[in-house]
């Protein structure tokens, strides 16, 4: 007797189909799982055996063989418990084979038969929709999986519920999508006293997804500014929310099946390892840059991160994806993030203060910021000096626009970009434009072109630096509601490009 069930194995955000074949044949009694299972999958036989025993179902005195096909694809995780169990029940003629064959299942079994939540329900639901199958999952995963909407999701509380559903005794209603989680109350830009130039840089960055480097002495407000960036970013679109949630689903970060429209904000500590930042570890899990997909990655004390970690950011920043290659895994994750880096001007942080700076000025500053390589520095579109604020200024009234006012301007600029890039695959904001498309949308007027040529000659801008100035100028023009990039837009973009460091 042979029965088949279906599940998935995860390779990054991709859910690879796996067929679970169960054969019950005469021979020496045994329960074997083959098909390149890891330790968690191999142990599934004990959980399945105990769960069936809790339901008063005894395994026959025959040879039970479970094959996970394709056999050369590594199988990892406890979510194989449920498909193995229903394939076995179908082979024993307890469940109808046709119904099980039309189901894609995932879930972990407790020893009493209760189904435990697992990661990856959202990508699995998309795979089930592509294969035109019903998704069977634990009850806790149902609201998350139901967001796909293109397939029926059956969320069961226990293996006994699954049996009663497929035998028609107690059908389980289709799961409904979880609630859209409310965005947390954002902090207001007006809370930051002064720093109008840095606030303007954040507005430009939010409008066009341009990377920012802020350099200033300790306590000047760099972290405060970065923490207020989510408050001026537009909500995720439906497509962006699904992309981001798929990554978070694999990392087990979705709360009670709810999908959030607020953009992720990740702030790893400077002691984080390379695997934590770019992804890796057991199973090549997504790192911070992928968890920040479509959102913000804030890296405080930027030069303090290990040099090899910083250098691994260069390619993901350009391509918008990262490939994690390990001996037993080769996976690809999306990582289109907005990088906000903050740094002190030197080791002690008081390079510009004659009364507090060390005796090694200015060499100490050059050595400290020199930890950021030229190619990595070249990838920052906006470089801003954040000067210290005198304590006497802290009692002054708030200045500048509120986050709500800035967010409205950012939303209008993003809308202009959405209309401009409609129908252009892979391009959503100005930071994504390149080649002929960039030349077409960001060609400045005659005065602007002349200014940019002089700057490129004077400061030796690289080709990448030249194009990044054009992208920033295009975003500034969008904020001003202008169709043509003009000289003032070029001048402002160049000012941010050369504000800190000239490694262009």
């Amino acid at each position: 007797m042979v029965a088949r069930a279906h599940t998935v194995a995860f390779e990054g955000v991709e859910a690879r189909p796996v067929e679970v074949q169960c054969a019950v044949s005469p021979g020496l009694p045994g329960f074997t799982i083959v098909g390149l299972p890891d330790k968690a999958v191999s142990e599934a036989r004990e959980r399945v055996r105990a769960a069936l025993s809790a339901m008063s179902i005894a395994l026959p005195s025959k040879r039970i063989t479970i094959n996970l096909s394709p056999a050369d694809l590594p199988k990892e995780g406890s979510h194989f418990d449920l498909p193995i169990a229903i394939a076995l029940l179908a082979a024993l003629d307890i469940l109808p084979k046709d119904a099980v064959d039309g189901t894609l299942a995932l879930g972990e079994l407790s020893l009493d038969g209760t189904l435990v939540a697992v990661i990856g329900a959202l990508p699995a639901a998309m795979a089930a929709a592509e294969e035109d199958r019903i998704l069977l999952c634990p009850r806790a995963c149902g609201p998350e999986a139901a967001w796909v909407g293109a397939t029926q999701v059956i969320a069961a509380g226990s293996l006994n519920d699954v049996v009663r559903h497929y035998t028609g005794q107690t059908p389980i209603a289709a799961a409904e999508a979880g609630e859209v989680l409310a965005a947390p109350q954002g902090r207001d830009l007006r809370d930051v006293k002064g720093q109008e130039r840095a606030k303007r840089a954040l507005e430009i960055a939010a409008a066009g997804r341009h990377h920012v480097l802020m350099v200033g002495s300790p306590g000047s407000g760099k972290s405060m500014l970065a923490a207020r960036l989510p408050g001026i970013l537009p909500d995720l679109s439906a497509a962006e929310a699904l992309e981001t949630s798929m990554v978070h689903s694999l990392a087990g970060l979705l709360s009670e099946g709810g999908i959030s429209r607020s953009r992720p904000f990740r702030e790893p500590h400077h002691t984080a390892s390379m695997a934590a930042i770019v992804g890796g570890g057991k199973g090549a899990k997504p790192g911070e840059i992928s968890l920040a997909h479509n959102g913000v990655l804030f890296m405080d004390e930027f030069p303090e991160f290990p040099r090899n970690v910083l250098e691994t950011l260069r390619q993901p920043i350009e391509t918008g994806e990262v490939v994690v290659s390990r001996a037993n895994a080769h996976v690809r994750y999306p990582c289109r993030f907005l990088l906000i880096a903050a740094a002190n001007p030197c080791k002690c942080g008081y390079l510009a203060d004659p009364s507090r700076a060390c005796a090694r000025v200015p060499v100490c500053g050059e050595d400290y910021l020199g930890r950021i390589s030229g190619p990595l520095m070249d990838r920052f579109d906006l470089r801003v000096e954040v000067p210290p604020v005198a304590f006497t200024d802290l009692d002054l009234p708030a200045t500048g626009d509120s986050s709500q006012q800035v967010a409205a301007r950012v939303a209008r600029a993003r809308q202009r970009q959405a209309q401009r890039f409609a129908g252009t695959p892979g391009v959503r904001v100005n930071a994504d434009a390149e080649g002929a498309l960039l030349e077409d949308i960001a060609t400045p007027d005659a005065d602007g072109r002349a200014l940019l040529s002089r700057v490129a000659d004077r400061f030796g801008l690289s080709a990448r630096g030249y194009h990044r100035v054009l992208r920033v100028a295009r975003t500034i023009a969008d904020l001003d509601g202008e169709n043509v990039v003009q000289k003032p837009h070029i001048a402002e973009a160049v000012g941010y490009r050369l504000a800190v460091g000239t490694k262009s």
Side-chain angles (χ1 to χ4, degrees), residues 125-454:
M126 297 191 69
E130 292 175 359
E131 299 177 19
D132 196 23
R133 301 184 190 278
I134 295 172
L135 179 71
L136 176 64
C137 64
R139 182 175 296 158
C141 299
E144 172 188 337
W147 273 103
V148 172
T151 187
Q152 184 181 6
V153 177
I154 302 300
S158 66
L159 186 58
N160 187 45
D161 293 341
V162 174
V163 173
R164 296 175 66 85
H165 171 77
Y166 279 107
T167 56
Q169 301 176 54
T170 310
I172 301 173
E176 296 183 358
E179 297 181 358
V180 176
L181 302 179
Q185 188 66 31
R187 301 168 181 173
D188 202 305
L189 274 176
R190 287 173 62 87
D191 296 338
V192 182
K193 300 296 178 68
Q195 310 299 7
E196 300 305 324
R197 180 173 172 81
K199 294 178 184 178
R200 171 64 172 173
L202 290 184
E203 178 179 346
I204 297 170
R209 210 191 69 228
H210 303 290
H211 306 302
V212 182
L213 172 64
M214 296 186 290
V215 177
S217 57
S220 57
K222 303 184 294 296
S223 298
M224 286 185 66
L225 287 163
R228 282 149 181 79
L229 181 58
I232 64 175
L233 286 168
D235 289 341
L236 292 167
S237 66
E240 290 174 332
L242 189 58
E243 289 176 4
T244 304
S245 298
M246 285 179 64
V247 179
H248 287 191
S249 176
L250 289 171
L253 298 180
L254 292 188
S255 174
E256 299 180 357
I259 301 294
S260 176
R261 285 294 186 93
S262 59
R263 295 184 181 271
F265 182 82
R266 308 292 300 184
E267 42 184 340
H269 193 261
H270 59 78
T271 57
S273 66
M274 183 185 299
I277 298 296
V278 302
K282 187 178 185 300
K285 298 299 183 183
E288 292 290 340
I289 62 175
S290 296
L291 297 176
H293 181 55
N294 290 321
V296 179
L297 177 66
F298 175 47
M299 300 180 72
D300 200 3
E301 306 294 346
F302 194 62
E304 298 291 344
F305 281 83
R307 179 65 177 265
N308 61 341
V309 172
L310 293 182
E311 293 306 303
T312 56
L313 295 176
R314 287 159 52 180
Q315 185 178 0
I317 286 174
E318 291 294 316
T319 62
E321 63 179 13
V322 60
V323 179
V324 181
S325 299
R326 298 293 184 266
N328 61 344
H330 185 85
V331 298
R332 189 181 303 269
Y333 292 109
C335 59
R336 292 195 178 277
F337 56 89
L338 167 55
L339 174 60
I340 305 295
N344 294 327
C346 62
K347 187 69 176 178
C348 68
Y350 299 104
L351 181 69
D353 188 346
S355 63
R356 304 177 71 177
C358 66
R360 297 184 61 245
V361 171
V363 177
C364 61
E366 296 174 355
D367 291 345
Y368 190 67
L369 291 182
R371 299 180 185 180
I372 308 174
S373 68
L376 181 56
M377 182 73 81
D378 199 31
R379 286 162 168 80
F380 286 103
D381 303 326
L382 305 166
R383 309 171 190 174
V384 188
E385 290 187 0
V386 185
V389 178
F391 73 91
T392 54
D393 295 338
L394 298 179
D395 293 331
L396 296 177
T399 59
D401 294 333
S402 66
S403 289
Q404 185 177 4
Q405 294 171 308
V406 176
R409 291 197 295 268
V410 170
R412 287 193 294 270
R414 286 281 185 120
Q415 183 60 34
R416 292 174 65 89
Q417 294 169 64
Q419 295 173 355
R420 177 183 301 131
F421 301 127
T424 306
V427 181
R428 293 176 179 171
V429 292
N430 291 330
D432 297 329
E434 57 185 15
L437 176 61
L438 177 61
E439 294 290 342
D440 181 53
I441 66 171
T443 299
D445 58 15
D447 291 341
R449 183 180 291 275
L451 173 61
L452 185 55
S453 297
R454 291 198 300 272

Side-chain angles (χ1 to χ4, degrees), residues 96-141:
K97 290 185 175 63
D98 291 344
V100 171
D101 194 24
T103 300
L104 191 151
L106 78 165
E108 179 184 334
L109 280 172
S110 296
L111 298 184
D112 61 356
T114 303
L115 288 175
V116 180
V118 292
I119 64 173
L122 194 57
M126 297 191 69
E130 292 175 359
E131 299 177 19
D132 196 23
R133 301 184 190 278
I134 295 172
L135 179 71
L136 176 64
C137 64
R139 182 175 296 158
C141 299

